[in-house]
Amino acid sequence: MEVYQALTLLSLVLSTVAIILVAIILLGSRGLLRHLRKSLLGKKAVKYRKRYLAVLYYPPGFFKTPGELEAALKECVRQSLGLIYLSGIDPRVVFINPKESRAIIRFNGEFKTELLASLAGASRLGFKIIPIGVAGSFKSARKKLS
């Protein structure tokens, strides 16, 4: 019985060495390292694509600073969708014009429909946010506000 176990172990070691040698020959040393790195470390973390939402808010002058609007927006998303979606959407107010009641919100582009759906719940908090348009850059979002 011990001879069979030793032969089994020896065949496993030799087959592993053979597989490694074939991989080195076929993939080359750099290709093998790249393949091992991908398989062992998994996928790279993907950075999300930022999108910009141009909005109007009512009543005029309700928000004076970007922090006030951002806090109210986050509360609106949290009440509508929950904390997990809030962390995924990650809304940030990057521009506000309190005189004209206009703002630009940066968010994760994968959650566009969720963000737009949660804006409907803003009326429960005493204000309204009306989306004008979604843009891929800050510059084009500023054009939509004009």
Side-chain angles (χ1 to χ4, degrees), residues 50-53 104 134-143:
K50 295 180 289 225
R51 295 290 181 246
Y52 296 88
L53 176 66
I104 297 176
V134 176
S137 68
F138 180 76
K139 185 177 179 181
S140 59
R142 287 285 302 248
K143 286 181 183 178

Side-chain angles (χ1 to χ4, degrees), residues 11 17 25 41 47 70 74 78 87-88 102 104 120 127 134:
S11 68
V17 169
I25 292 169
L41 298 178
K47 188 175 179 183
E70 188 173 318
K74 285 183 177 184
R78 189 190 63 78
S87 66
R102 298 170 187 253
I104 297 176
F127 59 94
V134 176

Side-chain angles (χ1 to χ4, degrees), residues 41-143:
L41 298 178
K43 291 184 178 178
K44 289 173 62 176
V46 178
K47 188 175 179 183
Y48 68 82
R49 290 187 151 191
K50 295 180 289 225
R51 295 290 181 246
Y52 296 88
L53 176 66
V55 297
L56 293 172
Y57 60 87
Y58 291 104
F62 192 75
F63 301 109
K64 306 243 186 293
T65 64
E68 292 176 1
L69 178 58
E70 188 173 318
L73 183 66
K74 285 183 177 184
E75 181 63 24
C76 180
V77 172
R78 189 190 63 78
Q79 283 184 2
S80 299
L81 301 171
L83 286 173
I84 295 182
Y85 274 101
L86 175 61
S87 66
I89 295 171
D90 191 29
R92 305 281 174 171
V93 176
V94 292
F95 172 78
I96 189 168
N97 185 348
K99 292 179 181 174
E100 297 179 4
S101 298
R102 298 170 187 253
I104 297 176
I105 301 164
R106 186 185 75 209
F107 66 97
N108 182 348
E110 292 180 19
F111 296 98
K112 177 177 122 179
T113 55
E114 288 85 352
L115 176 64
L116 293 173
S118 67
L119 293 180
S123 61
R124 289 180 286 177
L125 299 175
F127 59 94
K128 289 189 177 196
I129 296 180
I130 300 165
I132 296 174
V134 176
S137 68
F138 180 76
K139 185 177 179 181
S140 59
R142 287 285 302 248
K143 286 181 183 178

Side-chain angles (χ1 to χ4, degrees), residues 14-28 32:
L14 289 176
S15 63
T16 305
V17 169
I19 290 173
I20 290 173
L21 287 174
V22 168
I24 289 173
I25 292 169
L26 291 177
L27 297 175
L32 179 65

